[in-house]
Amino acid sequence: MLSIDLNADLGEGFGHYVVADEGHVLPLVTSASIACGFHAGDPLTMRRSVRLALDHGVTVGAHPGYPDLLGFGRRDLGATPEEVTAYVLYQVGALAAVCHAERTVLRYVKPHGALYNRAATDAVVAAAVAEGVRLADPTLVLLGLAGSALVSEGQRAGLRTAAEAFADRAYLADGTLAPRSRPGAVLTDEAAVVEQALGIVREQRVATLDGGSRPVHADSLCVHGDNPRAPALLRALRRRLNGEGITIASFAG
């Protein structure tokens, strides 16, 4: 029987600023990648997001990024491998402590934004991310773009890994995500999101912006929590997956 995890990036508010409607997103996902204070989030936001995830039985993961609140972690800061390892170690440790305080366990790590995209193609940076995860807790699962250097370097470091694909992002021919500056890079239409997700889960292929397609194997599908339409997209996706007899379950639960 086919099974897939649905994840969203959450905890990405800061202070009085709220980015996602987490109360409506969390009942619809099985894993939540929670920001750790560098690109978004703060100690109180982190605790609230972890508590909400627990209320809905959602697996908690860390979502570390560059120290870039102004750019929401979507600007490549060109950090050195040593800095990347330290950034990941620091942020994962912080969220793990929050989880401990809330009597739960951190299960996985998924880098954010520019760090995620850089680690997808740069093996040295990917290895630095994996080292940060290993130093924090070698039992954590490293979630990375399917077919990426992050997944292969995570395996090389001895970590359990999981492959991620995106229901709401367009792909380039090389299997990387289309830059957000490119028209059509972000999918907002329910039918398009559902069609892409089903192609990934059932056919293990994804359409690319050049008109072709490429193979992709995913353990988890992401719908971005900062998209105002995330609840509607997730509801439509769950209806279709359930209708197709596809099990929705966490990859790291």
Side-chain angles (χ1 to χ4, degrees):
M1 179 179 291
L2 291 176
S3 177
I4 193 70
D5 171 71
L6 292 181
N7 85 76
D9 305 333
L10 297 169
E12 292 183 320
F14 185 80
H16 292 295
Y17 298 98
V18 177
V19 174
D21 186 358
E22 297 191 1
H24 286 92
V25 171
L26 278 165
L28 302 169
V29 298
T30 44
S31 297
S33 308
I34 296 176
C36 308
F38 269 28
H39 77 277
D42 59 64
L44 290 175
T45 300
M46 291 161 66
R47 290 196 75 179
R48 283 194 295 266
S49 295
V50 168
R51 288 170 179 169
L52 273 174
L54 292 177
D55 287 345
H56 293 286
V58 172
T59 298
V60 176
H63 197 39
Y66 282 132
D68 181 26
L69 286 173
L70 289 178
F72 199 61
R74 288 178 175 160
R75 300 181 294 188
D76 192 348
L77 301 187
T80 67
E82 183 181 18
E83 289 171 329
V84 168
T85 295
Y87 293 163
V88 172
L89 175 61
Y90 183 98
Q91 293 174 84
V92 172
L95 192 64
V98 171
C99 287
H100 178 76
E102 299 301 328
R103 299 184 181 181
T104 189
V105 177
L106 185 67
R107 298 290 186 185
Y108 71 95
V109 178
K110 170 190 168 180
H112 166 80
L115 179 58
Y116 181 96
N117 290 331
R118 186 179 174 197
T121 59
D122 185 329
V124 173
V125 172
V129 171
E131 177 66 359
V133 175
R134 188 190 68 80
L135 289 173
D137 182 350
T139 69
L140 292 168
V141 181
L142 179 58
L143 178 62
L145 185 68
S148 70
L150 184 57
V151 173
S152 59
E153 291 300 322
Q155 293 169 349
R156 192 188 305 275
L159 298 172
R160 291 172 54 207
T161 62
E164 180 180 40
F166 290 78
D168 61 355
R169 291 293 307 278
Y171 281 77
L172 298 179
D174 64 358
T176 60
L177 301 179
R180 286 178 174 268
S181 58
R182 181 165 174 173
V186 179
L187 307 182
T188 58
D189 178 72
E190 289 181 17
V193 168
V194 170
E195 180 180 1
Q196 176 152 303
L198 279 179
I200 292 168
V201 177
R202 296 194 71 88
E203 309 300 327
Q204 297 191 14
R205 298 197 71 84
V206 65
T208 55
L209 283 180
D210 65 350
S213 68
R214 62 173 291 115
V216 60
H217 168 76
D219 303 297
S220 181
L221 283 175
C222 177
V223 172
H224 284 83
D226 65 321
N227 184 339
R229 301 205 65 247
L233 297 175
L234 284 163
R235 282 193 293 269
L237 185 51
R238 288 187 72 97
R239 281 196 301 270
R240 188 63 183 276
L241 291 172
N242 287 330
E244 296 280 335
I246 298 169
T247 301
I248 302 171
S250 173
F251 67 89

